[in-house]
């Protein structure tokens, strides 16, 4: 959630300023699943530093 300050006291949301609709800017389920799989693979392959 981002608000743009307009003047001293008025804030407007990006949706209000640019007319964004619900769901715009979200990844589709296929891309979200791919990214989640990549992150999970990366997290499990990280090695602990030698002490």
């Amino acid at each position: 959630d981002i608000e743009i300050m307009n003047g001293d006291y008025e804030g407007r949301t990006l949706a209000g300023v640019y007319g964004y609709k619900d769901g715009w800017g979200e990844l589709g389920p296929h891309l979200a699943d791919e990214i989640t799989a990549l992150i999970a693979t990366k997290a499990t392959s990280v090695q602990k530093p030698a002490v």
Side-chain angles (χ1 to χ4, degrees):
D1 294 322
I2 299 173
E3 288 192 2
I4 297 174
M5 299 306 292
N6 182 15
D8 292 331
Y9 301 104
E10 181 185 2
R12 296 176 60 196
T13 65
L14 283 177
V17 173
Y18 295 109
Y20 286 175
K21 307 288 186 224
D22 287 343
W24 284 13
E26 294 179 5
L27 297 174
H30 179 70
L31 286 176
D33 291 343
E34 284 186 40
I35 291 170
T36 301
L38 287 170
I39 292 170
T41 302
K42 186 76 169 179
T44 58
S45 66
V46 173
Q47 297 178 2
K48 293 182 181 177
V51 180

